[in-house]
Amino acid sequence: MSAKYEPQGTVAVITLDNPPVNGLGYATRVAVAEGVEKANADAAIAAIVITGGGKAFSGGADIREFGSPKATMEPNLLSLIKVLEASSKPIVAAVNGVCMGGGLELALGCHFRVAAPGVAVALPEVKIGLIPGAGGTQRLPRVLGVETALNVIVSGEPVKSEMLAAVPGQKLFDQIIEGDLLPAAVAYAAAKGSEYAGKAATLPLVRNLKVSHPNPDAYFQFARNMVKGMAKNFPAPAKCVDAVEVALKRKFDDGMVYERETFMALMMTPECKALRHAFLAERAASKIPDVPEDTPQRSIAKVAVIGAGTMGGGISMNFLNAGLPVTMLETKQEALDRGVATIRKNYEAQVKKGKLKQDKLDARMALLKPTLSYADVADADLVIEAVFEEMGVKEAVFKTLDEVVKPGAILASNTSTLDVDQIASFTKRPQDVVGLHFFSPANVMKLLEVVRGKATAKDVLATVMATAKKIKKTAVVSGVCDGFIGNRMIEQYSRQAGFLLEEGCTPEQVDKAVEKFGFAMGPFRMGDLAGNDIGWAIRKRRYVEKPGMRYSKTADLLCEMGRYGQKTGAGWYDYVAGKRDARPSAAVVKMIEDHRAALGVTARKISDDEIVHRLVYALVNEGAKIVEEGIASRASDIDMVYLTGYGFPLHRGGPMCYADTVGLFNVVQTMKKFAANPLDDASFWQPAPLLARLAAEGKSFT
Ligand code: NAI
């Protein structure tokens, strides 16, 4: 049973009971329909209240039913709303906590609505590439007016119930009830029961309300322009505008048909599939297959960060923002002062932009304790090391931490390339050691790779996953390997970018093609931003470790010219001091041409399609290996890494989702073509066994 039925005097109370958010799954829909029928058949009942058990009225569709037949089994939400509208006894929605998506559409199908203050009200369908599909686009304008309704629908953002109740002329909420919602709603329903006894035909229905606008054509033109700028890669926002216009200009039932058809058509678009994939992938990433959800967690009330450089400062800000005290440790006063000053400067910039209040800045800085003494980090619950990327330095730090920090504390390293198991072995408590790989700038980037060492304890993993949520990061677990998930893949992507230069591209041509595909930044602009010297250092190591692996020499030649990127004013592009725009460099083009000549390669014209697919399929093939080796728990984790840490276009859902959209058979065929290119790396393009197997079986990654 996922809705309870309880008569209270003359009122039947139907309480949605499908934790955690009363999703409108099949069993809940059936129970509500049965409850309404039962109340209508009972002569002792005069009215009905529908409310939500626990903290929510309803969060909308039950995401656990996505993709299963139960999601559409009758009564679907449209049919259930028809049942509500047909009730001969008044139905009052008593809206509590959260009222979103289908939950709001259900409430709009009731005759009356009363709400607690502070309820989060939203139609978030646009966020998964859809428009509301159970009357939301047709009913909401009838109760809130065209403009407010469209804002709610097109933004998908929650608005507080009392704010909506304050919209002039609104008919969404008949009352905002301070204090106990349910008894007040029951009393309200009882009164309506008496008022409408024997007058069922006059019960108010949202569908019968008039909707108007003083200047509709100009308004919808304006709305379309706004939406076009906001959501260039997604069709749904523009369809929200169309649907609300239909609500204004056509009959209600025609509008419902339009909404349904548009909803179904959007459902089939690759953009919608990508967004739904990303939505589910984010939830999946927070689960670790062998770490149960009820694994006990350690308490994290005090954090220490070792190293106050680029990463240490950014990492500290995350915890300060979440209200956790941070002790930041350095070896020298000067480095410590610089680290603190950078944090303050970052916050001050936010204050200047109006994004942060001065008192918040003061409160956050007050939580920061700079120190040169390890005694001050001894009582930290979580220590994150972000010192130089050298094993010797890390060894010294972890040995000291092992000596001074209290037992049970979590010891984390932000290393981007070093072996976390080796780092753990410097301590006598490897079970407490974990990698927490933040991305730069660490206070901005959403991604956090949680690197699970072979000894890392399950409660440590459970704790850092929960902590990641607290600091608003998207955590993805990676096993230990060189580069973990993200950087191991980007190395193959960068190799392809280098080969493309040797075969005939300019950096600008490659970047433009990739940016047109939707990446935030092409590989060469990204190199200039991150610093080309970082990749250079990694390649020097590779030349020793993997002498058989071929790289284009162009990136080394660039570094030999001292062109490290934005920080040296020159990289793959030229930069003017104080500006970030990349200008094509004649010197770099000449370097590439000379190198080509030295190799005896004649430049050929390379299509954007080839550029994009060589780069993206390089990610896909390496990603497949990462899944097969168990470094990632699932293919969708790889997509989360790329969507949140590497600027992969959201409307394509991540590299693995994109490969699925193209079809793995087609991906393999294209790889075979790349393997036949004598200037490329034929061995790399052998499809990873997992990819080959899935392609042969007609299956997909996600
Ligand atoms: P950084 O050079 O900006 O900062 C390192 C800081 O550590 C310096 O302030 C230095 O004084 C301090 N330090 C060195 N030895 C120390 C010790 N024994 N005790 C205390 N402090 C010490 O370097 P960055 O970029 O912040 O990198 C730090 C770590 O983060 C490295 O492991 C790096 O691989 C990793 N990382 C860096 C990323 C980046 O984009 N910069 C991204 C992700 C990880």
Side-chain angles (χ1 to χ4, degrees), residues 306-312 329-331 335 374 385-389 393-394 397 414-417 437-440 534:
I306 313 297
T310 311
M311 296 306 289
L329 182 143
E330 263 287 347
T331 46
Y374 270 95
E385 164 278 312
V387 302
F388 298 138
E389 186 75 342
V393 185
K394 307 268 192 213
V397 169
N414 182 49
T415 182
S416 33
T417 55
H437 185 211
F438 289 80
F439 287 70
S440 182
I534 297 179

